[in-house]
Amino acid sequence: MKQYDAIVIGSGQAGAPLAKKLALAGMKTLIVEKRFYGGTCVNYGCTPTKTMVASARVAYLASKCNDMGVTIKGYKVDMRQIKKHKDEIVLKSRNGGLKAAENTENLDVLFGEATFTGAKTIRVRTKKDGLKEFKADKIFINTGGKPVIPNDIEGINEIDFLTSTTILDLEKVPEHLVILGGNYIGLEFGQMFARFGSKVTIIEKSGRILSREDEDISLELTRILEKEDITIRTNAKAARVKQKDKGKITVTIKTGDAEDKIKCSHVLVAIGRAPQTDTLGLDKTGVKTDDKGYITVNTKLETNVKGIYALGDVKGGPAFTHISYNDYTIVYRNLIEKQNLSIRNRPVPYCMFTDPELGRIGITETEAKEKGLNYKVAKLQMSHVARAIETGDTRGMMKAIVDAKTKKILGVAIVGTEGGEIMSVLQMAMEGGITYDRIRYCVFAHPTYSESLNNLFMTLED
């Protein structure tokens, strides 16, 4: 059994940089990766999906260019070329990260599945050398999540369903794609494949898509997607699925007491994700998990077992790449730089990369109301934003929740082109305590999207 100072399980956006930093700080470190270096973000999440979203946007712009005075005689979507382009970018990122790790002094990289055999010992099954055992005083778990497959849908395991991972390998555009789930993953893929040429139907069990967002934000996105001929069915649930000889799939939809059937070529399951903890053997360590399998941690990301930490999606909470990366910075700075950092009250910005995108930070109006806060709401349609008018895309809206007394910004939702970038401007204001009345009269460069923050806060009366 080989001894290390630190073992990192998983090479995601927390594990990979943490392993390098620990090694460079003089700790003999092992990083274990089950499949592809870089984790979900690089291989199945941000990098591939946003690359394909970009291809879909080019198709959308081609369909609209005649309106801008640039005439073309049509275009063709080449799904194989889209996949090839995506694969090249993924491989460049994956191989770059792996090479950097392999060239790091004090860092060993091992591919295989890790399972705990004791509190601070793991066994790794590798394809090349079989079983190998290792131990370390400090262990960091960054195994991420995986798509949830709903077992309450009759026949789901008897059809060739797609997940957010397998849909990335399609080389033909689906004729009719039915998506189970009307949140971020489902909506991004839904719009993407509609633009590639698929008929798309989204099935959402809640009363509206994006049920965690304010109703006006949800309705704004609904209108945008429906204008692209995407069918959205809410208060609906897939009850049964059936496929004959790997051909057409029949999805039985239940809405209240009524049932109807949809025939489609493909089904994408996008109802959520679950932590990858079932094969870790956590019972051998005493590390506690919650009722959903997420590893429980304190505000310093340490589990109930001293010296074992969990970072990223596997610990629950906001499942975003930037949160996972921030987890790494907190753990590293606390351990190596002897700081006293906590995950408590950190900002949680996020974007949904539909087109236009949704940028979000802070609380919603619904949350402000539930908390009984004294607040005001500023709203501005993108049709009143000069830059949006000039670029020919006025879809969406800006919305900000502010404290009526202190004038501080409490939350922001931006649906629009560059929505995430506009949101980030307001996030910086929130971080610096800059009040909305100062932003209202701030001098921004013209014509930019952020310049319209003047007009957004002009809608508020002091």
Side-chain angles (χ1 to χ4, degrees):
M1 184 181 296
K2 190 170 181 179
Q3 174 80 45
Y4 282 89
D5 296 318
I7 295 174
V8 179
I9 304 174
S11 64
Q13 295 305 295
L18 178 61
K20 284 182 61 179
K21 278 286 193 177
L22 295 174
L24 291 172
M27 298 177 68
K28 184 63 178 174
T29 304
L30 171 69
I31 184 167
V32 182
E33 171 53 51
K34 181 169 67 173
R35 194 174 184 197
F36 295 132
Y37 204 85
T40 297
C41 180
V42 168
N43 297 288
Y44 320 111
C46 312
T47 299
T49 59
K50 279 46 180 182
T51 300
M52 293 176 72
V53 162
S55 293
R57 177 164 170 75
V58 170
Y60 174 77
L61 293 175
S63 73
K64 298 293 182 183
C65 69
N66 292 354
D67 299 338
M68 302 288 285
V70 179
T71 303
I72 61 173
K73 295 182 179 181
Y75 61 93
K76 178 182 177 183
V77 171
D78 185 340
M79 199 65 206
R80 288 189 176 182
Q81 180 59 32
I82 289 170
K83 179 181 180 297
K84 180 174 180 290
H85 174 61
K86 176 264 297 182
D87 288 344
E88 288 172 349
I89 291 175
V90 168
L91 283 173
K92 183 177 180 180
S93 183
R94 178 197 302 167
N95 293 337
L98 176 58
K99 184 177 180 181
E102 290 176 335
N103 290 337
T104 301
E105 189 177 355
N106 287 327
L107 179 59
D108 292 338
V109 180
L110 182 65
F111 286 91
E113 187 166 33
T115 304
F116 282 95
T117 57
K120 298 290 182 71
T121 60
I122 65 166
R123 178 182 296 145
V124 181
R125 184 179 296 277
T126 68
K127 290 183 178 180
K128 182 179 179 182
D129 302 316
L131 291 175
K132 304 181 78 172
E133 286 196 311
F134 308 93
K135 62 189 300 186
D137 292 329
K138 296 192 182 302
I139 297 180
F140 306 88
I141 303 170
N142 181 224
T143 50
K146 60 184 177 181
V148 170
I149 309 303
N151 293 321
D152 60 341
I153 299 178
E154 184 181 331
I156 190 67
N157 292 311
E158 297 170 13
I159 71 167
D160 297 324
F161 63 82
L162 298 167
T163 67
S164 56
T165 298
T166 59
I167 197 171
L168 298 172
D169 292 327
L170 291 180
E171 293 190 343
K172 288 186 178 180
V173 176
E175 178 186 341
H176 183 185
L177 176 64
V178 168
I179 299 174
L180 308 183
N183 278 298
Y184 315 117
I185 294 174
L187 298 184
E188 285 185 12
F189 278 118
Q191 186 184 50
M192 178 197 302
F193 278 94
R195 290 178 168 187
F196 289 156
S198 297
K199 178 181 179 181
V200 173
T201 302
I202 296 173
I203 310 298
E204 170 54 42
K205 67 179 181 179
S206 300
R208 53 187 173 85
I209 60 172
L210 299 176
S211 57
R212 286 171 288 185
E213 306 296 337
D214 281 332
E215 185 174 2
D216 53 357
I217 297 298
S218 170
L219 292 176
E220 191 74 24
L221 261 300
T222 298
R223 286 192 289 267
I224 288 168
L225 295 173
E226 288 181 339
K227 281 185 178 179
E228 295 192 39
D229 297 323
I230 296 171
T231 300
I232 299 173
R233 296 189 55 176
T234 55
N235 290 313
K237 186 181 183 304
R240 293 182 297 280
V241 290
K242 190 173 183 180
Q243 184 175 25
K244 287 188 176 180
D245 302 322
K246 297 188 180 297
K248 289 282 185 180
I249 300 171
T250 300
V251 183
T252 301
I253 306 298
K254 190 170 184 178
T255 308
D257 295 327
E259 285 189 354
D260 64 299
K261 295 181 179 181
I262 299 175
K263 290 190 181 294
C264 63
S265 59
H266 296 74
V267 171
L268 168 63
V269 178
I271 64 168
R273 293 176 68 80
Q276 296 202 82
T277 52
D278 48 351
T279 62
L280 281 174
L282 293 177
D283 56 310
K284 301 291 196 305
T285 70
V287 168
K288 293 180 180 179
T289 60
D290 65 14
D291 56 356
K292 294 183 179 179
Y294 291 103
I295 297 174
T296 56
V297 295
N298 61 21
T299 59
K300 304 293 178 62
L301 298 166
E302 191 170 21
T303 69
N304 60 295
V305 178
K306 187 174 178 57
I308 299 182
Y309 297 76
L311 305 87
D313 298 358
V314 75
K315 73 179 190 310
F320 303 116
T321 290
H322 45 282
I323 295 299
S324 183
Y325 186 84
N326 185 246
D327 286 351
Y328 135 67
T329 68
I330 287 172
V331 169
Y332 172 76
R333 287 181 290 168
N334 283 345
L335 287 177
I336 304 302
E337 298 177 358
K338 306 304 179 184
Q339 296 192 40
N340 187 31
L341 302 171
S342 165
I343 62 172
R344 187 183 290 115
N345 297 325
R346 65 179 167 183
V348 184
Y350 58 89
C351 292
M352 179 181 69
F353 289 94
T354 49
D355 175 33
E357 63 199 53
L358 165 64
R360 276 271 290 111
I361 180 71
I363 64 173
T364 62
E365 181 181 2
T366 303
E367 290 169 329
K369 191 176 297 182
E370 289 172 350
K371 293 178 178 181
L373 301 180
N374 181 16
Y375 69 93
K376 292 181 180 181
V377 179
K379 291 185 184 181
L380 184 71
Q381 294 297 129
M382 295 300 286
S383 57
H384 295 154
V385 174
R387 182 66 173 166
I389 296 169
E390 293 154 1
T391 56
D393 191 351
T394 57
R395 298 170 300 159
M397 64 182 288
M398 297 182 182
K399 181 177 183 179
I401 317 300
V402 304
D403 187 291
K405 186 176 181 180
T406 66
K407 299 184 181 181
K408 288 186 176 181
I409 301 166
L410 305 176
V412 174
I414 310 290
V415 179
T417 302
E418 304 295 347
E421 306 300 332
I422 305 167
M423 174 273 291
S424 297
V425 172
L426 290 177
Q427 179 186 347
M428 294 298 287
M430 293 168 69
E431 291 282 309
I434 300 173
T435 53
Y436 76 79
D437 56 327
R438 288 183 62 193
I439 297 172
R440 180 166 56 193
Y441 297 114
C442 185
V443 180
F444 294 98
H446 174 79
T448 61
Y449 287 102
S450 295
E451 175 193 30
S452 286
L453 295 176
N454 291 149
N455 293 335
L456 172 65
F457 293 117
M458 287 285 186
T459 64
L460 295 176
E461 294 181 4
D462 290 339

mmCIF file of all heavy atoms in Angstrom, residues 409-444:
data_model
loop_
_atom_site.group_PDB
_atom_site.id
_atom_site.type_symbol
_atom_site.label_atom_id
_atom_site.label_comp_id
_atom_site.label_asym_id
_atom_site.label_seq_id
_atom_site.Cartn_x
_atom_site.Cartn_y
_atom_site.Cartn_z
ATOM 1 N N ILE A 409 -28.743 46.646 -3.831
ATOM 2 C CA ILE A 409 -29.308 45.673 -4.768
ATOM 3 C C ILE A 409 -29.334 44.311 -4.083
ATOM 4 O O ILE A 409 -28.319 43.843 -3.566
ATOM 5 C CB ILE A 409 -28.471 45.627 -6.060
ATOM 6 C CG1 ILE A 409 -28.441 47.006 -6.711
ATOM 7 C CG2 ILE A 409 -29.053 44.595 -7.036
ATOM 8 C CD1 ILE A 409 -27.393 47.141 -7.793
ATOM 9 N N LEU A 410 -30.489 43.667 -4.087
ATOM 10 C CA LEU A 410 -30.669 42.380 -3.411
ATOM 11 C C LEU A 410 -30.644 41.197 -4.376
ATOM 12 O O LEU A 410 -30.274 40.092 -3.987
ATOM 13 C CB LEU A 410 -31.999 42.369 -2.647
ATOM 14 C CG LEU A 410 -32.213 43.497 -1.632
ATOM 15 C CD1 LEU A 410 -33.608 43.400 -1.033
ATOM 16 C CD2 LEU A 410 -31.148 43.441 -0.543
ATOM 17 N N GLY A 411 -31.055 41.425 -5.606
ATOM 18 C CA GLY A 411 -31.098 40.332 -6.570
ATOM 19 C C GLY A 411 -31.318 40.851 -7.970
ATOM 20 O O GLY A 411 -31.883 41.945 -8.166
ATOM 21 N N VAL A 412 -30.878 40.075 -8.947
ATOM 22 C CA VAL A 412 -30.939 40.495 -10.343
ATOM 23 C C VAL A 412 -31.273 39.300 -11.228
ATOM 24 O O VAL A 412 -30.782 38.184 -10.988
ATOM 25 C CB VAL A 412 -29.571 41.068 -10.801
ATOM 26 C CG1 VAL A 412 -29.582 41.381 -12.285
ATOM 27 C CG2 VAL A 412 -29.199 42.295 -9.985
ATOM 28 N N ALA A 413 -32.107 39.534 -12.225
ATOM 29 C CA ALA A 413 -32.355 38.547 -13.277
ATOM 30 C C ALA A 413 -32.340 39.281 -14.608
ATOM 31 O O ALA A 413 -33.114 40.220 -14.808
ATOM 32 C CB ALA A 413 -33.689 37.843 -13.067
ATOM 33 N N ILE A 414 -31.458 38.876 -15.489
ATOM 34 C CA ILE A 414 -31.352 39.504 -16.801
ATOM 35 C C ILE A 414 -31.590 38.442 -17.868
ATOM 36 O O ILE A 414 -30.836 37.479 -17.985
ATOM 37 C CB ILE A 414 -29.966 40.135 -17.055
ATOM 38 C CG1 ILE A 414 -29.546 41.038 -15.889
ATOM 39 C CG2 ILE A 414 -29.966 40.886 -18.378
ATOM 40 C CD1 ILE A 414 -30.314 42.309 -15.758
ATOM 41 N N VAL A 415 -32.670 38.590 -18.641
ATOM 42 C CA VAL A 415 -32.914 37.745 -19.803
ATOM 43 C C VAL A 415 -32.624 38.608 -21.021
ATOM 44 O O VAL A 415 -33.332 39.580 -21.276
ATOM 45 C CB VAL A 415 -34.368 37.235 -19.860
ATOM 46 C CG1 VAL A 415 -34.574 36.382 -21.107
ATOM 47 C CG2 VAL A 415 -34.714 36.450 -18.617
ATOM 48 N N GLY A 416 -31.578 38.273 -21.736
ATOM 49 C CA GLY A 416 -31.226 39.071 -22.897
ATOM 50 C C GLY A 416 -29.847 38.721 -23.409
ATOM 51 O O GLY A 416 -29.081 38.021 -22.742
ATOM 52 N N THR A 417 -29.534 39.222 -24.595
ATOM 53 C CA THR A 417 -28.192 39.038 -25.132
ATOM 54 C C THR A 417 -27.178 39.617 -24.148
ATOM 55 O O THR A 417 -27.367 40.718 -23.634
ATOM 56 C CB THR A 417 -28.066 39.760 -26.493
ATOM 57 O OG1 THR A 417 -29.052 39.232 -27.384
ATOM 58 C CG2 THR A 417 -26.682 39.563 -27.088
ATOM 59 N N GLU A 418 -26.129 38.837 -23.865
ATOM 60 C CA GLU A 418 -25.115 39.212 -22.876
ATOM 61 C C GLU A 418 -25.710 39.358 -21.472
ATOM 62 O O GLU A 418 -25.179 40.091 -20.630
ATOM 63 C CB GLU A 418 -24.392 40.518 -23.281
ATOM 64 C CG GLU A 418 -23.747 40.483 -24.650
ATOM 65 C CD GLU A 418 -22.602 39.474 -24.759
ATOM 66 O OE1 GLU A 418 -22.141 38.977 -23.728
ATOM 67 O OE2 GLU A 418 -22.184 39.187 -25.896
ATOM 68 N N GLY A 419 -26.788 38.623 -21.204
ATOM 69 C CA GLY A 419 -27.433 38.707 -19.899
ATOM 70 C C GLY A 419 -26.498 38.388 -18.742
ATOM 71 O O GLY A 419 -26.561 39.028 -17.684
ATOM 72 N N GLY A 420 -25.634 37.407 -18.927
ATOM 73 C CA GLY A 420 -24.685 37.050 -17.877
ATOM 74 C C GLY A 420 -23.669 38.147 -17.616
ATOM 75 O O GLY A 420 -23.264 38.370 -16.468
ATOM 76 N N GLU A 421 -23.256 38.839 -18.664
ATOM 77 C CA GLU A 421 -22.284 39.918 -18.514
ATOM 78 C C GLU A 421 -22.918 41.122 -17.805
ATOM 79 O O GLU A 421 -22.289 41.765 -16.951
ATOM 80 C CB GLU A 421 -21.736 40.343 -19.882
ATOM 81 C CG GLU A 421 -21.155 39.217 -20.720
ATOM 82 C CD GLU A 421 -19.985 38.517 -20.051
ATOM 83 O OE1 GLU A 421 -19.273 39.162 -19.250
ATOM 84 O OE2 GLU A 421 -19.778 37.317 -20.334
ATOM 85 N N ILE A 422 -24.167 41.437 -18.152
ATOM 86 C CA ILE A 422 -24.864 42.542 -17.488
ATOM 87 C C ILE A 422 -25.078 42.203 -16.016
ATOM 88 O O ILE A 422 -24.879 43.044 -15.124
ATOM 89 C CB ILE A 422 -26.219 42.814 -18.170
ATOM 90 C CG1 ILE A 422 -26.035 43.058 -19.661
ATOM 91 C CG2 ILE A 422 -26.907 44.017 -17.523
ATOM 92 C CD1 ILE A 422 -27.330 43.018 -20.453
ATOM 93 N N MET A 423 -25.483 40.956 -15.759
ATOM 94 C CA MET A 423 -25.657 40.510 -14.380
ATOM 95 C C MET A 423 -24.366 40.658 -13.594
ATOM 96 O O MET A 423 -24.376 41.064 -12.426
ATOM 97 C CB MET A 423 -26.120 39.049 -14.360
ATOM 98 C CG MET A 423 -26.212 38.402 -12.990
ATOM 99 S SD MET A 423 -24.655 37.645 -12.418
ATOM 100 C CE MET A 423 -24.506 36.259 -13.532
ATOM 101 N N SER A 424 -23.233 40.349 -14.211
ATOM 102 C CA SER A 424 -21.946 40.422 -13.520
ATOM 103 C C SER A 424 -21.594 41.852 -13.114
ATOM 104 O O SER A 424 -20.959 42.080 -12.083
ATOM 105 C CB SER A 424 -20.831 39.829 -14.391
ATOM 106 O OG SER A 424 -21.057 38.452 -14.626
ATOM 107 N N VAL A 425 -22.020 42.824 -13.910
ATOM 108 C CA VAL A 425 -21.808 44.220 -13.548
ATOM 109 C C VAL A 425 -22.547 44.530 -12.248
ATOM 110 O O VAL A 425 -22.005 45.149 -11.322
ATOM 111 C CB VAL A 425 -22.299 45.158 -14.669
ATOM 112 C CG1 VAL A 425 -22.257 46.619 -14.210
ATOM 113 C CG2 VAL A 425 -21.438 44.985 -15.916
ATOM 114 N N LEU A 426 -23.795 44.054 -12.163
ATOM 115 C CA LEU A 426 -24.584 44.306 -10.962
ATOM 116 C C LEU A 426 -24.098 43.465 -9.787
ATOM 117 O O LEU A 426 -24.224 43.880 -8.625
ATOM 118 C CB LEU A 426 -26.057 44.048 -11.243
ATOM 119 C CG LEU A 426 -26.696 45.074 -12.181
ATOM 120 C CD1 LEU A 426 -28.138 44.712 -12.486
ATOM 121 C CD2 LEU A 426 -26.622 46.476 -11.594
ATOM 122 N N GLN A 427 -23.528 42.298 -10.055
ATOM 123 C CA GLN A 427 -22.937 41.510 -8.976
ATOM 124 C C GLN A 427 -21.783 42.282 -8.333
ATOM 125 O O GLN A 427 -21.639 42.300 -7.102
ATOM 126 C CB GLN A 427 -22.429 40.158 -9.490
ATOM 127 C CG GLN A 427 -21.788 39.329 -8.375
ATOM 128 C CD GLN A 427 -21.146 38.051 -8.873
ATOM 129 O OE1 GLN A 427 -21.367 37.632 -10.005
ATOM 130 N NE2 GLN A 427 -20.335 37.426 -8.042
ATOM 131 N N MET A 428 -20.957 42.909 -9.159
ATOM 132 C CA MET A 428 -19.860 43.702 -8.616
ATOM 133 C C MET A 428 -20.386 44.856 -7.766
ATOM 134 O O MET A 428 -19.811 45.205 -6.731
ATOM 135 C CB MET A 428 -18.993 44.240 -9.756
ATOM 136 C CG MET A 428 -18.250 43.158 -10.526
ATOM 137 S SD MET A 428 -17.084 42.246 -9.494
ATOM 138 C CE MET A 428 -15.797 43.472 -9.295
ATOM 139 N N ALA A 429 -21.507 45.437 -8.188
ATOM 140 C CA ALA A 429 -22.113 46.501 -7.393
ATOM 141 C C ALA A 429 -22.581 45.951 -6.046
ATOM 142 O O ALA A 429 -22.394 46.592 -5.001
ATOM 143 C CB ALA A 429 -23.287 47.115 -8.156
ATOM 144 N N MET A 430 -23.171 44.765 -6.066
ATOM 145 C CA MET A 430 -23.633 44.142 -4.826
ATOM 146 C C MET A 430 -22.457 43.838 -3.908
ATOM 147 O O MET A 430 -22.520 44.059 -2.696
ATOM 148 C CB MET A 430 -24.410 42.860 -5.151
ATOM 149 C CG MET A 430 -25.728 43.106 -5.879
ATOM 150 S SD MET A 430 -26.474 41.593 -6.566
ATOM 151 C CE MET A 430 -26.959 40.748 -5.061
ATOM 152 N N GLU A 431 -21.362 43.332 -4.484
ATOM 153 C CA GLU A 431 -20.171 43.014 -3.700
ATOM 154 C C GLU A 431 -19.581 44.279 -3.064
ATOM 155 O O GLU A 431 -19.089 44.252 -1.932
ATOM 156 C CB GLU A 431 -19.115 42.348 -4.591
ATOM 157 C CG GLU A 431 -19.463 40.956 -5.073
ATOM 158 C CD GLU A 431 -19.263 39.907 -4.005
ATOM 159 O OE1 GLU A 431 -18.183 39.862 -3.408
ATOM 160 O OE2 GLU A 431 -20.204 39.130 -3.775
ATOM 161 N N GLY A 432 -19.637 45.387 -3.801
ATOM 162 C CA GLY A 432 -19.040 46.629 -3.313
ATOM 163 C C GLY A 432 -19.991 47.540 -2.574
ATOM 164 O O GLY A 432 -19.603 48.640 -2.168
ATOM 165 N N GLY A 433 -21.250 47.095 -2.417
ATOM 166 C CA GLY A 433 -22.217 47.910 -1.708
ATOM 167 C C GLY A 433 -22.639 49.164 -2.452
ATOM 168 O O GLY A 433 -23.081 50.147 -1.855
ATOM 169 N N ILE A 434 -22.506 49.150 -3.775
ATOM 170 C CA ILE A 434 -22.903 50.307 -4.582
ATOM 171 C C ILE A 434 -24.422 50.301 -4.740
ATOM 172 O O ILE A 434 -25.001 49.322 -5.194
ATOM 173 C CB ILE A 434 -22.221 50.290 -5.959
ATOM 174 C CG1 ILE A 434 -20.704 50.334 -5.793
ATOM 175 C CG2 ILE A 434 -22.702 51.444 -6.830
ATOM 176 C CD1 ILE A 434 -19.935 50.160 -7.087
ATOM 177 N N THR A 435 -25.070 51.367 -4.379
ATOM 178 C CA THR A 435 -26.526 51.439 -4.377
ATOM 179 C C THR A 435 -27.071 51.777 -5.769
ATOM 180 O O THR A 435 -26.366 52.330 -6.609
ATOM 181 C CB THR A 435 -27.010 52.486 -3.366
ATOM 182 O OG1 THR A 435 -26.352 53.731 -3.631
ATOM 183 C CG2 THR A 435 -26.688 52.037 -1.942
ATOM 184 N N TYR A 436 -28.356 51.447 -5.962
ATOM 185 C CA TYR A 436 -28.932 51.610 -7.292
ATOM 186 C C TYR A 436 -29.002 53.063 -7.741
ATOM 187 O O TYR A 436 -28.925 53.357 -8.944
ATOM 188 C CB TYR A 436 -30.305 50.948 -7.372
ATOM 189 C CG TYR A 436 -31.434 51.706 -6.710
ATOM 190 C CD1 TYR A 436 -32.047 52.794 -7.345
ATOM 191 C CD2 TYR A 436 -31.935 51.314 -5.471
ATOM 192 C CE1 TYR A 436 -33.093 53.482 -6.749
ATOM 193 C CE2 TYR A 436 -32.987 52.001 -4.869
ATOM 194 C CZ TYR A 436 -33.559 53.084 -5.510
ATOM 195 O OH TYR A 436 -34.593 53.754 -4.913
ATOM 196 N N ASP A 437 -29.115 53.998 -6.785
ATOM 197 C CA ASP A 437 -29.202 55.400 -7.185
ATOM 198 C C ASP A 437 -27.877 55.900 -7.759
ATOM 199 O O ASP A 437 -27.859 56.814 -8.597
ATOM 200 C CB ASP A 437 -29.660 56.275 -6.018
ATOM 201 C CG ASP A 437 -28.768 56.157 -4.783
ATOM 202 O OD1 ASP A 437 -28.239 55.055 -4.551
ATOM 203 O OD2 ASP A 437 -28.598 57.150 -4.060
ATOM 204 N N ARG A 438 -26.775 55.310 -7.331
ATOM 205 C CA ARG A 438 -25.468 55.674 -7.911
ATOM 206 C C ARG A 438 -25.339 55.105 -9.317
ATOM 207 O O ARG A 438 -24.796 55.762 -10.221
ATOM 208 C CB ARG A 438 -24.332 55.153 -7.030
ATOM 209 C CG ARG A 438 -24.178 55.905 -5.712
ATOM 210 C CD ARG A 438 -22.997 55.380 -4.928
ATOM 211 N NE ARG A 438 -21.731 55.561 -5.646
ATOM 212 C CZ ARG A 438 -20.587 54.970 -5.297
ATOM 213 N NH1 ARG A 438 -20.552 54.173 -4.236
ATOM 214 N NH2 ARG A 438 -19.484 55.196 -5.987
ATOM 215 N N ILE A 439 -25.833 53.879 -9.505
ATOM 216 C CA ILE A 439 -25.775 53.264 -10.831
ATOM 217 C C ILE A 439 -26.672 54.029 -11.802
ATOM 218 O O ILE A 439 -26.350 54.179 -12.988
ATOM 219 C CB ILE A 439 -26.189 51.777 -10.753
ATOM 220 C CG1 ILE A 439 -25.208 51.011 -9.872
ATOM 221 C CG2 ILE A 439 -26.262 51.152 -12.138
ATOM 222 C CD1 ILE A 439 -25.622 49.595 -9.572
ATOM 223 N N ARG A 440 -27.777 54.531 -11.301
ATOM 224 C CA ARG A 440 -28.737 55.254 -12.141
ATOM 225 C C ARG A 440 -28.086 56.432 -12.853
ATOM 226 O O ARG A 440 -28.433 56.748 -13.997
ATOM 227 C CB ARG A 440 -29.899 55.724 -11.261
ATOM 228 C CG ARG A 440 -30.976 56.497 -12.010
ATOM 229 C CD ARG A 440 -32.234 56.633 -11.168
ATOM 230 N NE ARG A 440 -31.974 57.257 -9.879
ATOM 231 C CZ ARG A 440 -32.844 57.266 -8.874
ATOM 232 N NH1 ARG A 440 -34.003 56.649 -9.001
ATOM 233 N NH2 ARG A 440 -32.562 57.875 -7.743
ATOM 234 N N TYR A 441 -27.153 57.087 -12.194
ATOM 235 C CA TYR A 441 -26.506 58.255 -12.795
ATOM 236 C C TYR A 441 -25.032 58.002 -13.134
ATOM 237 O O TYR A 441 -24.287 58.948 -13.404
ATOM 238 C CB TYR A 441 -26.643 59.460 -11.858
ATOM 239 C CG TYR A 441 -28.080 59.866 -11.643
ATOM 240 C CD1 TYR A 441 -28.685 59.738 -10.399
ATOM 241 C CD2 TYR A 441 -28.838 60.343 -12.710
ATOM 242 C CE1 TYR A 441 -30.015 60.096 -10.208
ATOM 243 C CE2 TYR A 441 -30.169 60.696 -12.533
ATOM 244 C CZ TYR A 441 -30.755 60.571 -11.288
ATOM 245 O OH TYR A 441 -32.073 60.910 -11.118
ATOM 246 N N CYS A 442 -24.634 56.750 -13.128
ATOM 247 C CA CYS A 442 -23.249 56.408 -13.480
ATOM 248 C C CYS A 442 -23.023 56.632 -14.978
ATOM 249 O O CYS A 442 -23.950 56.482 -15.787
ATOM 250 C CB CYS A 442 -22.979 54.953 -13.116
ATOM 251 S SG CYS A 442 -21.275 54.438 -13.356
ATOM 252 N N VAL A 443 -21.824 56.989 -15.359
ATOM 253 C CA VAL A 443 -21.497 57.195 -16.765
ATOM 254 C C VAL A 443 -20.951 55.893 -17.338
ATOM 255 O O VAL A 443 -19.858 55.448 -16.985
ATOM 256 C CB VAL A 443 -20.460 58.323 -16.946
ATOM 257 C CG1 VAL A 443 -20.135 58.501 -18.427
ATOM 258 C CG2 VAL A 443 -20.979 59.626 -16.346
ATOM 259 N N PHE A 444 -21.739 55.266 -18.200
ATOM 260 C CA PHE A 444 -21.316 54.058 -18.901
ATOM 261 C C PHE A 444 -21.010 54.409 -20.350
ATOM 262 O O PHE A 444 -21.557 55.368 -20.902
ATOM 263 C CB PHE A 444 -22.425 52.997 -18.887
ATOM 264 C CG PHE A 444 -22.744 52.444 -17.520
ATOM 265 C CD1 PHE A 444 -23.814 52.932 -16.785
ATOM 266 C CD2 PHE A 444 -21.983 51.416 -16.980
ATOM 267 C CE1 PHE A 444 -24.124 52.417 -15.529
ATOM 268 C CE2 PHE A 444 -22.278 50.896 -15.726
ATOM 269 C CZ PHE A 444 -23.341 51.397 -15.010
#
